[in-house]
Amino acid sequence: MSTPSFRLYNTLTGQPDVVEPAEPRHLRFYACGPTVYSYAHIGNFRSFITADLIARTAQAIGWDTTFVSNITDVGHLTEDDVADATGEDKMAKALRKEGQRFANVWDLARYFSDALIDDWHALNLVEPDVRPRATEHMQQQILAVQALQEKGFAYETKKGVYFSVEKFPEYGKLSGNTAEEALVEGAAAQSRDTVQDPEKRHPRDFALWKKDEKHLMQWHSPWGWGFPGWHIECSVMAMEYIGEQIDLHAGGEDLIFPHHECEIAQAESITGKPFAKLWVHTRFLQVEGEKMSKSKDNFLTVRDLIAPEAVGGRGIPPLALRMTLLSGQYRKPFNFTFDKLRDSARHIQRIETVDQLVQQALAEDAPGDDFVGERLGELYDRALGAMLDDLNTPEALAATIEGVKMLQGIGSNLSGAAATSASEWLDKINQLLGIIRPQTEDADASKDETDPLAEKVEGLLEKRAQARKNKDFERADAIRDELDEMGIEVMDSPEGTTWRRKVSV
RNA sequence: GGUGGCGUGGCCGAGUGGCUAGGCAGAGGCCUGCAAAGCCUCGUACGGCGGUUCGAAUCCGCCCGCCACCUCCA
């Protein structure tokens, strides 16, 4: 048997590279997580799902994985930074906006990081082995900055400690943004660089430590009270939990520059070794053809979409959202639309139906041959092959849907042997793509038997059945209309009548 | 201005030299008291212009268009 090769597009080399872990068959990687100052949006999760799929795909070919994904719970900005129009720290700003909800910025960070983890589970993402927080690695960050200073890569000013880009000639190798360009750039670049610290030696030098005694989060350091620069936390935590050299580093495309460029500069200056071998970046998504932004009404948080309608959400099944995000390959522009979400919700519903069908056939264990195993095996291989080929999720999904439709066509005629194959296939697809079964109970609340709606529906269905028996179709249809308005779909079959919630996207 | 990505049928989205996925929507049919669900059948598309080739959506060149990053942002 030939060893399958796992290929991913590497931003560093500009081509798809074979994933070759330093230790064979053990992939160690780091994925940049969000700054937790609000609920995570679907764009955040598109990127996290890429990391999730890398882990799942590696595991599918029998590799071990060490998956580290951080939580940034420091704001990092001060008035000195021009980036934000208000010059205000993200966390501080969020705290002001949230008013009395939180006692302080620490509470706010804790609240939104808990929310992040809830969403993470709802969308069936694999749990990272380590989820380090920036605030819990302050000592390591301070030591790293000191090390950079001692090695001559950093210098101190009245306002902070900076990394000297000129000391790291390879700066720009990831993004193509070289330091020289920044200098010779025209007015556009200069206008952006109206910063801040006159003692900064080079426009591209970036902060390792900010001195600020007024910041809402501050720590004591050899340079006085202040807080760390944004980039240092990831370099430090990746090295802490994986090592000086990591196999792969992932994140959103916006992180290519400056964040990942700076991570490389810091880490490689400290160790003198290449930091990450592979850099994987997920493209931004658009919503209904437009850039998602808070100023438009197209800013979609995971929370808004999956929360039940009763509490102001849209009641989207989490797996439908996950499947929608899988319907485009991570490296291509993705246009998130409610049309796609509706399609996905239908697919998820169909998958659920088939899963139930299979479980039932498994229990009944009818005699007969396994007449699906071979075909399903081919379809799984196709799905896995697609994932190994730079996470080609649309192709993997196509293979999945094909198998599901085949099983659906067979319906209740599955033999016990065939049902066994089908069940195993569903398990394997689920491990690979995470779209068959919810991983947590609460993600599947809609199926809850204690649903107060269920009783009412059953009652109405009974009345309808009676009416149909009496050939009183007018009354039967009236009941069906009533159910329809309740959002219930009624399906008659020779075996009896079943119902389910309508997909309401 | 710099860097990178992308352009496939009504829509989404695979396919990287010949064998022309899949889904959604749409049309017809089967089933049904009628529906719904399900099943069957139906779609010859690759931004433009050149070039290479027996043959190109697929390779090369030029052009057009879209998007992103270069500044906090997944």
Side-chain angles (χ1 to χ4, degrees):
Chain A
M1 202 179 102
S2 64
T3 312
S5 80
F6 184 10
R7 288 184 301 129
L8 289 170
Y9 185 89
N10 187 355
T11 307
L12 194 59
T13 60
Q15 60 179 33
D17 282 346
V18 174
V19 182
E20 288 173 324
E23 178 191 331
R25 303 176 66 78
H26 187 153
L27 183 68
R28 292 178 169 88
F29 71 109
Y30 186 94
C32 281
T35 305
V36 284
Y37 61 99
S38 65
Y39 292 114
H41 54 72
I42 56 175
N44 293 122
F45 267 90
R46 171 151 142 105
S47 163
F48 306 154
I49 283 178
T50 299
D52 164 79
L53 294 172
I54 289 170
R56 286 173 181 272
T57 303
Q59 286 163 9
I61 53 175
W63 291 4
D64 289 328
T65 54
T66 299
F67 172 24
V68 180
S69 188
N70 67 293
I71 285 179
T72 296
D73 50 3
V74 191
H76 292 303
L77 281 184
T78 70
E79 318 74 51
D80 287 342
D81 294 280
V82 277
D84 197 18
T86 66
E88 194 174 4
D89 181 283
K90 263 191 279 190
M91 298 279 239
K93 194 170 166 185
L95 182 64
R96 190 161 51 77
K97 196 173 131 206
E98 298 286 348
Q100 296 83 354
R101 265 180 85 191
F102 303 104
N104 56 48
V105 72
W106 301 86
D107 276 1
L108 179 141
R110 176 56 65 173
Y111 175 84
F112 285 117
S113 69
D114 286 349
L116 169 81
I117 293 169
D118 287 346
D119 292 345
W120 191 282
H121 292 154
L123 291 191
N124 248 0
L125 275 78
V126 301
E127 187 62 16
D129 296 283
V130 191
R131 210 190 266 286
R133 289 164 196 269
T135 53
E136 291 170 3
H137 297 78
M138 209 43 66
Q139 193 57 34
Q140 293 93 324
Q141 293 182 64
I142 289 169
L143 289 172
V145 175
Q146 276 187 306
L148 284 168
Q149 217 177 350
E150 280 160 21
K151 287 174 187 275
F153 288 102
Y155 59 92
E156 185 178 357
T157 72
K158 286 193 195 73
K159 292 193 172 186
V161 181
Y162 294 92
F163 184 93
S164 177
V165 165
E166 286 160 312
K167 297 279 165 55
F168 189 73
E170 287 182 86
Y171 192 79
K173 67 180 175 181
L174 183 70
S175 63
N177 294 327
T178 63
E180 285 67 30
E181 269 166 22
L183 276 181
V184 290
E185 275 282 309
Q190 279 174 18
S191 68
R192 288 186 194 114
D193 207 56
T194 52
V195 200
Q196 110 226 73
D197 188 341
E199 292 180 79
K200 230 172 89 167
R201 293 178 193 164
H202 185 111
R204 287 263 156 143
D205 288 355
F206 56 91
L208 296 168
W209 188 266
K210 293 251 182 185
K211 300 179 186 176
D212 184 352
E213 293 181 5
K214 296 197 189 85
H215 198 71
L216 290 176
M217 287 177 156
Q218 50 175 295
W219 292 264
H220 189 64
S221 77
W223 315 280
W225 287 93
F227 61 98
W230 172 42
H231 314 297
I232 194 72
E233 65 180 63
C234 286
S235 298
V236 161
M237 295 190 289
M239 289 194 276
E240 169 98 4
Y241 294 103
I242 301 179
E244 293 186 343
Q245 295 184 282
I246 69 181
D247 294 321
L248 189 157
H249 195 129
E253 63 172 331
D254 57 312
L255 299 181
I256 297 171
F257 190 91
H259 186 58
H260 288 163
E261 196 74 72
C262 296
E263 277 192 55
I264 291 174
Q266 293 159 350
E268 299 191 356
S269 295
I270 291 172
T271 67
K273 299 174 198 163
F275 180 39
K277 221 193 281 186
L278 256 156
W279 290 86
V280 174
H281 294 102
T282 303
R283 289 220 51 172
F284 271 21
L285 54 70
Q286 291 184 289
V287 173
E288 302 290 352
E290 291 190 307
K291 185 181 165 86
M292 183 167 74
S293 80
K294 283 178 180 167
S295 54
K296 295 176 190 146
D297 59 354
N298 67 352
F299 191 83
L300 302 174
T301 66
V302 170
R303 193 56 56 119
D304 288 341
L305 290 172
I306 67 176
E309 284 168 280
V311 296
R314 292 188 192 241
I316 308 290
L319 291 189
L321 176 55
R322 178 179 170 96
M323 186 165 186
T324 302
L325 292 172
L326 292 183
S327 70
Q329 196 230 16
Y330 78 96
R331 206 157 63 77
K332 281 196 178 178
F334 183 73
N335 186 16
F336 185 95
T337 64
F338 280 89
D339 262 10
K340 290 180 186 174
L341 199 50
R342 181 173 35 74
D343 288 354
S344 299
R346 287 183 183 158
H347 279 124
I348 292 295
Q349 193 170 55
R350 176 184 278 156
I351 289 170
E352 250 172 50
T353 305
V354 165
D355 192 24
Q356 284 162 12
L357 206 71
V358 167
Q359 299 315 320
Q360 200 180 334
L362 207 54
E364 286 168 10
D365 195 23
D369 297 333
D370 173 11
F371 49 90
V372 298
E374 190 178 340
R375 179 68 188 134
L376 290 176
E378 286 165 12
L379 288 171
Y380 177 76
D381 289 345
R382 199 174 118 203
L384 178 59
M387 293 305 284
L388 290 168
D389 180 15
D390 202 18
L391 305 181
N392 187 344
T393 45
E395 171 70 7
L397 244 27
T400 301
I401 290 169
E402 209 172 312
V404 167
K405 289 197 96 170
M406 181 180 84
L407 292 172
Q408 193 171 36
I410 295 166
S412 49
N413 299 323
L414 275 177
S415 65
T420 302
S421 282
S423 181
E424 284 168 7
W425 181 76
L426 287 168
D427 286 343
K428 282 170 75 179
I429 289 286
N430 193 45
Q431 277 166 30
L432 185 64
L433 301 174
I435 54 167
I436 310 287
R437 301 183 195 103
Q439 131 196 97
T440 52
E441 289 302 318
D442 52 323
D444 200 20
S446 65
K447 286 286 151 199
D448 198 335
E449 289 299 325
T450 63
D451 187 344
L453 203 62
E455 209 172 316
K456 197 172 171 190
V457 170
E458 297 293 347
L460 284 169
L461 280 180
E462 211 160 298
K463 282 184 196 160
R464 175 167 172 273
Q466 196 57 46
R468 289 181 74 208
K469 214 175 202 177
N470 300 333
K471 305 275 183 203
D472 184 357
F473 296 121
E474 210 168 301
R475 179 162 158 70
D477 290 352
I479 295 173
R480 187 168 63 201
D481 289 345
E482 193 182 333
L483 286 163
D484 185 70
E485 274 175 38
M486 290 164 62
I488 298 300
E489 202 168 9
V490 175
M491 292 161 297
D492 297 324
S493 81
E495 287 87 43
T497 299
T498 55
W499 64 278
R500 67 185 181 196
R501 286 166 191 282
K502 277 191 300 190
V503 173
S504 59
V505 175

